[in-house]
Each structure stands twice: as structure tokens, then as C-alpha cells.
Amino acid sequence: LDAYGSNEGLSRFHGFDNSRFYAELVALGVQVGDEVKSNYSITSLSVVSSLNLDYLVGEQHLNRADFEAIYAMLGGDNTLARVLDETGYRQTYVESGWLGTRCRELVRNCVAGPWPDETVYDINLRSLLRGLPGLEAGRSFSRGALNSLRWLENELGSYLGNDVADYIYVHALAPHPPFFLDSSCESTPTRELSGFSTGASWLSDEELALRSAGYANQVRCVNRILTTVAKMAVANDAIVVMF
């Protein structure tokens, strides 16, 4: 889950009470950390240190080789995946459409992300086409997030109870901005909710409130899918890790 805030952060900055969702998870037997902090503020470093089971690089000393190694680990070539592969697990990797989640060598079963991907959108946003409808900043993120969430809701069940040791990795690009997904996970791109930040100093109070409400809606969307995933896991004695 990309940019999913803690209960404290959601309450303090967005006036959003996430305790009901936590309670639903606990009732299903899921362990929930009450005071969880991210180890880095940057997605790539945070996720990689978790998957690789180690801190890898200093945040201020990244070069091209570091980024290439980071993206390879993000794409499934990491310590956790290697240990599970050696133990007989088959890795299924669900791409999101973001460059950092492209399948790598250790992935046995790759679920391709949506096209066009983030690279294509990034190029368009640097061109004269950037003002056209359908090219809102971050639209590929919302398409990628929706693709991952729908896969979890509709396809994960086919891997459970199939007598195969499966390790499934899904990077959901939500509730990370832009805030195009409503609480029912329907996508409606608008310029007001585009871009990759929750707030900025130049935004008015009304604009900040709109973006905060959009973030809360994406949290509700993600929560609905995760509740379904948790129920499937319990029914099939599977292990689900959400971070």
C-alpha cells in the first residue's frame, strides 16, 4: 500500500477515523500495529528495505547503480523472494504500471500492468500534450492502483487452496495521490485532484480540503478491498501482510 497513513496520521491531518477498519481486521485475527512508522519517506527505499530484510543505502548517497539495484529488488529480486523461492514457493508478481514494479528474473508468474504505463504519461506531461483531457498528472498511478486492487478482489481467490505454495506480491499504488478513486474504487480523473502531493503551501483552504477528502475516499476504497482479501486469507489459511 503506497502512502497509507497510520491511524494517528489519518486522524490528525485528515480528520479520518480508521478504527472501524482496524477493528474489522482484528476480528478476523489479523495483527495490527498501533504505532507503526515508515523506515523511509521514499517508497522505493522503504519497500526495498522491507523486502530485502536489510537497510541497503544511505538516503542521500544514491547513484544510478543504486537505483538499478533498487528497481530490481522492487521487481521481485530480493532476499525475501529468494528465500521463499529456495523453499519451493512460486512467486506471482502483479505489476502496477509504475517503473519500479516491473517483473524481474525471480518472478515465475508475472501479471502485466496496465498500458500505457507511468513512463508514457511522464513523457506526455513534458510535451505540448500535457493539457489534454485524459493526460492528468498521475492518471497512470490511479489506473495502476485500480488494476492492482481489482486483481486482488477478482483473481487472488484462484491462487488460494490450489495445492501450490504461492508467494504473491502486489504493490497497490493507493491511497497515494492523485485522488481519482472514490470510496467505491471508481475512477474519475479531474485536474483539481491530479498530481502527486496531498497538499502544498500555494493551495487554498478549499483546495486542501478537497484533496484531503479525496485521500480519505481512496483510503475507504483500499479498506474495502483489503477486508475482502483478509476474509479470503482466513478462509484458506493463507498469510497476508499489509504494509
Side-chain angles (χ1 to χ4, degrees):
L1 306 173
D2 208 320
Y4 193 109
S6 67
N7 201 28
E8 178 189 357
L10 288 169
S11 175
R12 178 181 177 187
F13 298 110
H14 302 282
F16 185 87
D17 184 2
N18 208 24
S19 58
R20 179 177 177 180
F21 172 61
Y22 280 21
E24 288 177 344
L25 292 181
V26 171
L28 289 169
V30 178
Q31 294 182 0
V32 178
D34 290 326
E35 297 184 17
V36 178
K37 308 292 184 187
S38 176
N39 42 18
Y40 290 100
S41 61
I42 300 173
T43 297
S44 53
L45 297 181
S46 178
V47 175
V48 163
S49 62
S50 296
L51 293 176
N52 217 48
L53 312 179
D54 194 10
Y55 293 100
L56 303 172
V57 293
E59 192 170 350
Q60 305 301 320
H61 305 284
L62 299 177
N63 55 39
R64 184 179 183 126
D66 290 326
F67 277 110
E68 289 177 354
I70 285 170
Y71 284 148
M73 294 173 195
L74 277 171
D77 288 357
N78 50 66
T79 301
L80 176 60
R82 191 166 292 107
V83 168
L84 291 172
D85 182 73
E86 292 171 353
T87 314
Y89 281 79
R90 178 184 65 178
Q91 182 179 185
T92 293
Y93 191 101
V94 181
E95 294 182 338
S96 71
W98 173 49
L99 174 66
T101 64
R102 182 166 52 86
C103 294
R104 300 301 175 120
E105 186 177 346
L106 274 180
V107 175
R108 307 257 198 104
N109 181 32
C110 180
V111 179
W115 179 261
D117 62 12
E118 178 64 16
T119 305
V120 175
Y121 274 85
D122 186 59
I123 293 172
N124 280 332
L125 290 170
R126 298 169 190 268
S127 73
L128 295 176
L129 301 176
R130 64 182 178 274
L132 296 178
L135 295 176
E136 292 87 357
R139 182 162 187 181
S140 60
F141 258 55
S142 65
R143 293 175 68 251
L146 193 56
N147 184 71
S148 299
L149 294 172
R150 282 177 173 166
W151 189 93
L152 283 170
E153 190 172 32
N154 301 319
E155 304 297 332
L156 175 62
S158 65
Y159 289 78
L160 302 176
N162 61 358
D163 297 324
V164 176
D166 288 301
Y167 163 54
I168 300 170
Y169 179 82
V170 184
H171 185 137
L173 292 173
H176 190 290
F179 304 122
F180 295 159
L181 304 181
D182 64 18
S183 58
S184 300
C185 298
E186 296 296 327
S187 178
T188 307
T190 64
R191 182 168 296 181
E192 293 78 11
L193 294 175
S194 65
F196 295 108
S197 61
T198 306
S201 59
W202 59 84
L203 295 174
S204 67
D205 289 344
E206 291 77 12
E207 289 171 318
L208 287 170
L210 182 65
R211 299 187 72 81
S212 182
Y215 178 68
N217 276 333
Q218 293 206 156
V219 171
R220 292 186 182 96
C221 159
V222 170
N223 285 357
R224 183 176 65 82
I225 303 296
L226 295 181
T227 301
T228 299
V229 169
K231 289 178 179 177
M232 285 194 290
V234 170
N236 290 274
D237 292 327
I239 297 171
V240 173
V241 178
M242 308 174 190
F243 66 98

